[in-house]
Amino acid sequence: MGPLLDAWRLAVGTLTAVPVAPPRTVDARTAGRAMLLAPLAAVPLGAVVAVVGLVGPELGLTALVTAVLAVAALVAGSRAFHLDGLSDTADGLTASYDRRRSLEVMKSGSAGPAGVAAVVLVLGTQVAALTALLREDRGWLVAGVLVCLSRCALALACTRGVPGARPDGLGATYVGSVRPLATLALWLAAAAAAYAATGPSGVVALVLAAAVVVLVLHRAVRRFGGVTGDVFGASVELGLATLLVVASA
């Protein structure tokens, strides 16, 4: 129970603003388990989005205002952790064709024009798609489920065989920490959850989100030589945007 509890604390403490005791041990095995638990650790975030989506219209708010508040709550609940990764990844991809220069830009922490544009465009896409989704029956519930499922991107990014771009950094412990069969099992479970929540369209959304994440990882490996913690965050945000867009169609 100890190792599993450490993984749970690592997942919740890293991916949400929910206060938890720090894990006693953080190694590759704990990190891999944490990534597999990421969708469950995100349940509080999904619940907040669902509640805002449900209560907003009851308070007389428009779907657009409700969607903005829901996304804002999600950003606050995750401490903008994944958005920071999205910004740094965009800056790294546009900074230079030199691998070392790109990694230096990503590590600097400052947001450049590409990073700002990426965050604005992805958040705008999420808000627009969520606005349409909240106009549908049980759209608030679907939105909450999709927030949780978007965190499956982390297991995919940490699957054994996906190389790391550098030996240090926040993501170094997580690189290659998840077995391929475990990743497959997680995504199959996610497909079942998506089907239960939205029917066949949910499975289609999940498949397309997986494809987007794979493209992000492929691009990162080609440009940076591997993945980083920033790439993990970009995968989550782009995966969520894809899920919301397809679900709202």
Side-chain angles (χ1 to χ4, degrees), residues 73-92:
L74 177 59
V75 171
S78 62
R79 302 191 304 272
F81 189 54
H82 305 306
L83 286 175
D84 179 68
L86 173 66
S87 175
D88 288 343
T89 299
D91 283 334

Side-chain angles (χ1 to χ4, degrees), residues 92-99 102 218-225:
L93 288 173
T94 58
S96 170
Y97 283 104
D98 180 74
R99 172 180 173 271
S102 294
H218 177 70
R219 184 61 175 164
V221 171
R222 290 196 63 182
R223 288 284 280 104
F224 309 139

Side-chain angles (χ1 to χ4, degrees), residues 6-16 33-35 37-38 41-42 174:
D6 280 344
W8 176 252
R9 287 173 174 172
L10 182 60
V12 175
T14 303
L15 304 176
T16 76
R33 289 173 174 171
M35 294 300 93
L37 291 171
Y174 297 85

Side-chain angles (χ1 to χ4, degrees), residues 15-109:
L15 304 176
T16 76
V18 177
V20 293
R24 294 173 300 175
T25 303
V26 178
D27 53 20
R29 176 173 292 185
T30 303
R33 289 173 174 171
M35 294 300 93
L36 291 171
L37 291 171
L40 293 178
V43 166
L45 304 180
V48 168
V49 170
V51 169
V52 173
L54 177 63
V55 173
E58 299 298 324
L59 297 178
L61 302 180
T62 64
L64 176 58
V65 172
T66 301
V68 170
L69 292 177
V71 171
L74 177 59
V75 171
S78 62
R79 302 191 304 272
F81 189 54
H82 305 306
L83 286 175
D84 179 68
L86 173 66
S87 175
D88 288 343
T89 299
D91 283 334
L93 288 173
T94 58
S96 170
Y97 283 104
D98 180 74
R99 172 180 173 271
R100 291 185 179 179
R101 172 58 182 162
S102 294
L103 290 174
E104 288 175 0
V105 168
M106 294 171 68
K107 196 174 183 178
S108 69

Side-chain angles (χ1 to χ4, degrees), residues 56 63 77-79 82 87 109 111 114 120 138 146 158 173 175 199 202 207 218 224 235:
S78 62
R79 302 191 304 272
H82 305 306
S87 175
V120 170
R138 298 200 311 158
L146 295 183
C158 296
T173 304
V175 172
V207 170
H218 177 70
F224 309 139
S235 299

Side-chain angles (χ1 to χ4, degrees), residues 75-246:
V75 171
S78 62
R79 302 191 304 272
F81 189 54
H82 305 306
L83 286 175
D84 179 68
L86 173 66
S87 175
D88 288 343
T89 299
D91 283 334
L93 288 173
T94 58
S96 170
Y97 283 104
D98 180 74
R99 172 180 173 271
R100 291 185 179 179
R101 172 58 182 162
S102 294
L103 290 174
E104 288 175 0
V105 168
M106 294 171 68
K107 196 174 183 178
S108 69
S110 59
V116 173
V119 170
V120 170
L121 290 172
V122 172
L123 283 180
T125 299
Q126 292 177 359
V127 168
L130 184 56
T131 299
L133 184 59
L134 291 177
R135 294 193 177 106
E136 303 293 334
D137 292 336
R138 298 200 311 158
W140 57 274
L141 178 60
V142 173
V145 172
L146 295 183
V147 167
C148 297
L149 296 185
S150 67
R151 273 52 185 175
C152 291
L154 293 169
L156 191 56
C158 296
T159 299
R160 190 173 300 168
V162 179
R166 51 181 174 232
D168 59 347
L170 180 61
T173 304
Y174 297 85
V175 172
S177 62
V178 181
R179 295 180 179 180
L181 285 179
T183 299
L184 177 60
L186 177 66
W187 279 85
L188 289 176
Y195 184 84
T198 64
S201 62
V203 179
V204 173
L206 196 70
V207 170
L208 292 178
V212 168
V213 173
V214 169
L215 287 174
V216 172
L217 299 178
H218 177 70
R219 184 61 175 164
V221 171
R222 290 196 63 182
R223 288 284 280 104
F224 309 139
V227 296
T228 67
D230 289 326
V231 176
F232 298 165
S235 299
V236 169
E237 292 295 344
L238 292 171
L240 176 59
T242 304
L243 287 170
L244 291 173
V245 167
V246 178

